[in-house]
Amino acid sequence: MLSLVAPPAPARAPQPAEGGGAGAVLRAVLADGPLARGAVGRATGLSPAAVSRHTADLIGLGLVRELPAPDGPPRAGRPQLPLDVDRRHHLACGVHIGVPFLTFALLDLRGRVVAHERLPRRGDAAAVLAAVRGHLPGFVARRAAGRSLLGLGVVTGGWVDSERGTVVEHGPLGWRDVPVRAELARATRLPVHVDSHARALAQAELLFGAGNGATELVQLFVGNVVDSAFATGGTVLRGRRSRAGDVGHLPVPGSTEPCVCGRTGCLQATVSERTVARRAHAQGLIAAPDFELLLALVRAGDRRAVALIEERLRLAAPAAALLLNVLNPEVLVVSEAGLTVRPELAGYLDEQVARHGRVEPGQLVTAASFGTDVLAVAACAGVLDSAYQRPMELRTARSS
């Protein structure tokens, strides 16, 4: 039996003032905590009475806690106990559905990975969802240590309709109109947040990563699927039927790589992990066209393997520059596996983006903030974003 503290289905309706105030307090403590109540009031613009009221609610939900008073000489009046995010009680649970693997993860309220496990992805959509249903209870029992779950996130590439909880189209997996939320909510009795991994990572970067403190951010994800997401005013935009950010079919000059859309030279077909692994295999670098084998060589510093990642970044850079110049964000984040294992390639990425676009003073072009945990963090980001945006919608429930 799983106990959880969870929001209802992740609707995007306007928040009541009370919930908005509590969310503002919680996000202020996340961003800059530990904070005294006076500092929370200055950060949020709320009155001392409102800060105290919302703090009491958040403490009651197990989302915020008071820390001991700092050392120092006694001061007149009531002591200002610092407030911090309470990581002791609740976890977000998530599953990232990739082409080669399923990644199961648990994150605490500060976005730190508590546990993750990986399984090979096998079969069609029905088989994958059955594998998720089968593995999830044991994973939680083994790794959650009795903490409550805030909900279940399910993240994958391609066109994901987050409002309906449906994977509309995922070319590399061959999925069309898969009702992920309906299938998993019925089986797990958890609130299920379904989203694309680009949008999920954009949310995570705003909450815990390079976008913390920013309001305008663009995320470009380069994997087997290539897609993007952008945030303005601190909110990740979805567009009609959640299709905003589809950049996988941008043309790559000189590329003749065939694409599932029927054309040649599309960005996703040109730089996907399958394509790069196939090139490495053809060059005799790896024994099979397996991107994990190539990454092992990149991690070891093999010059020819690193050169293939540099070529991948060079081919993706025009799309990154286009997003940077059209949307003009404070932060551009590029998530790519080679950058994860060889962080020094971020300098090469900067050079390539600057060749194709204009990086304004103060703009940050960076790799993803979460290293090898990037898929685990993406899986849980929607659950955590919901908790930070609407904490007063959390309710106690039990599933048997």
Side-chain angles (χ1 to χ4, degrees):
M1 182 170 71
L2 302 179
S3 68
L4 59 143
V5 173
R12 293 283 169 178
Q15 304 173 53
E18 180 78 9
V25 170
L26 184 58
R27 293 191 297 275
V29 174
L30 170 69
D32 297 312
L35 285 179
R37 283 171 170 79
V40 172
R42 290 189 292 274
T44 61
L46 295 170
S47 69
V51 170
S52 292
R53 185 171 67 252
H54 295 314
T55 296
D57 290 337
L58 294 170
I59 290 173
L61 286 169
L63 300 176
V64 165
R65 63 172 175 157
E66 291 181 327
L67 300 181
D71 294 334
R75 301 176 62 181
R78 183 178 178 181
Q80 286 280 307
L81 300 180
L83 303 173
D84 201 2
V85 172
D86 194 340
R87 299 165 50 204
R88 300 171 297 176
H89 305 295
H90 311 307
L91 297 172
C93 184
V95 182
H96 180 277
I97 300 173
V99 173
F101 299 107
L102 307 178
T103 302
F104 295 78
L106 293 169
L107 266 63
D108 69 19
L109 283 174
R110 281 203 172 272
R112 296 168 185 169
V113 177
V114 172
H116 66 91
E117 295 178 1
R118 197 167 72 168
L119 296 178
R121 183 205 60 83
R122 295 192 178 96
D124 60 8
V128 168
L129 295 181
V132 171
R133 291 193 299 268
H135 189 76
L136 199 59
F139 170 66
V140 172
R142 287 190 302 275
R143 311 303 290 272
R147 283 179 279 186
S148 298
L149 301 185
L150 293 166
L152 172 67
V154 183
V155 168
T156 191
W159 179 6
V160 181
D161 187 334
S162 55
E163 295 298 325
R164 294 169 56 213
T166 299
V167 177
V168 181
E169 184 177 10
H170 191 307
L173 290 181
W175 288 18
R176 291 190 66 86
D177 296 319
V178 179
V180 172
R181 178 185 294 148
E183 291 291 329
L184 294 181
R186 182 166 52 246
T188 64
R189 298 178 64 185
L190 290 168
V192 179
H193 302 251
V194 181
D195 216 338
S196 76
H197 50 205
R199 285 195 295 268
L201 283 172
Q203 290 173 331
E205 293 285 357
L206 289 170
L207 285 170
F208 313 113
N212 184 257
T215 59
E216 316 296 322
L217 177 140
V218 169
Q219 166 79 43
L220 177 64
F221 185 92
V222 183
N224 271 310
V225 171
V226 177
D227 52 11
S228 69
F230 36 93
T232 183
T235 299
V236 178
L237 303 181
R238 286 171 166 75
R240 182 175 175 270
R241 292 198 67 196
S242 301
R243 202 169 186 178
D246 184 359
V247 296
H249 298 286
L250 289 175
V252 177
S255 172
T256 58
E257 195 70 39
C259 182
V260 293
C261 73
R263 294 177 291 179
T264 59
C266 293
L267 177 62
Q268 180 170 293
T270 302
V271 302
S272 75
E273 291 178 359
R274 284 177 168 176
T275 300
V276 177
R278 193 176 68 246
R279 290 176 191 151
H281 181 239
Q283 293 176 20
L285 281 176
I286 50 180
D290 184 334
F291 192 76
E292 293 291 317
L293 296 177
L294 177 63
L295 271 188
L297 290 180
V298 174
R299 188 179 289 107
D302 183 279
R303 185 57 239 170
R304 290 192 299 165
V306 172
L308 280 174
I309 297 300
E310 290 177 338
E311 179 187 28
R312 189 187 199 200
L313 294 173
R314 178 180 63 80
L315 293 170
L322 176 65
L323 292 167
L324 185 72
N325 293 157
V326 170
L327 298 169
N328 195 31
E330 297 164 80
V331 181
L332 169 67
V333 180
V334 178
S335 298
E336 190 276 331
L339 289 171
T340 298
V341 299
R342 303 297 295 186
E344 67 272 17
L345 290 176
Y348 181 81
L349 171 67
D350 289 345
E351 295 171 4
Q352 294 302 310
V353 172
R355 283 186 58 199
H356 296 280
R358 181 175 178 178
V359 181
E360 299 286 348
Q363 281 184 317
L364 174 64
V365 178
T366 184
S369 302
F370 310 109
T372 56
D373 289 330
V374 64
L375 299 183
V377 172
C380 300
V383 176
L384 292 172
D385 181 66
S386 179
Y388 277 101
Q389 295 297 333
R390 299 177 295 279
M392 297 312 297
E393 292 182 12
L394 300 181
R395 58 185 172 83
T396 302
R398 294 186 180 275
S399 62
S400 55

